[in-house]
Amino acid sequence: MAVDLASVGVFPNNVQLHLLHGKVAGYLVYLVLALIIGIRWLLPNVSPDFLHLSWLIAGALLAGEILFQVVGYLSLTAFEILAFMLAFTWLVMLFERLNDYLEPIQTRNYVVK
């Protein structure tokens, strides 16, 4: 994933490399989609709420990819902003879930007034 993300920056969006830049950005979306699809097996006992939100984000990423690559409705900039926003949101949610696994519930102190 890191190599693909670096490739988006290595290949500039100019006349000669526009198609390659767009393809590499699309592959990054496919990698995030693979992670979202595999989350059930990669992260056991994940909550159903997280799975549902993951599927919604995956659907939105796939719709953005189709609107950009197939239909041509989105510009490259709009596609990259949309894909980054969705993928980054999902990664933050994933890190939150991973933090919950690392932090036992017994050590949390809540003060209710």
Side-chain angles (χ1 to χ4, degrees), residues 33-101:
L33 284 174
L35 278 175
I36 290 174
I37 291 168
I39 196 67
R40 177 176 286 170
W41 299 281
L42 295 171
L43 195 62
N45 301 325
V46 68
S47 70
D49 292 338
F50 181 70
L51 280 177
H52 294 299
L53 282 172
S54 295
W55 285 109
L56 285 172
I57 289 174
L61 278 169
L62 189 59
E65 176 70 19
I66 291 169
L67 286 173
F68 172 64
Q69 294 285 352
V70 179
V71 179
Y73 179 73
L74 293 176
S75 68
L76 179 64
T77 304
F79 165 69
E80 287 180 343
I81 290 171
L82 177 70
F84 171 78
M85 179 187 68
L86 291 168
F88 187 74
T89 300
W90 185 78
L91 283 173
V92 169
M93 289 178 8
L94 177 65
F95 289 148
E96 231 0 85
R97 297 300 175 270
L98 291 173
N99 189 35
D100 290 344
Y101 281 118

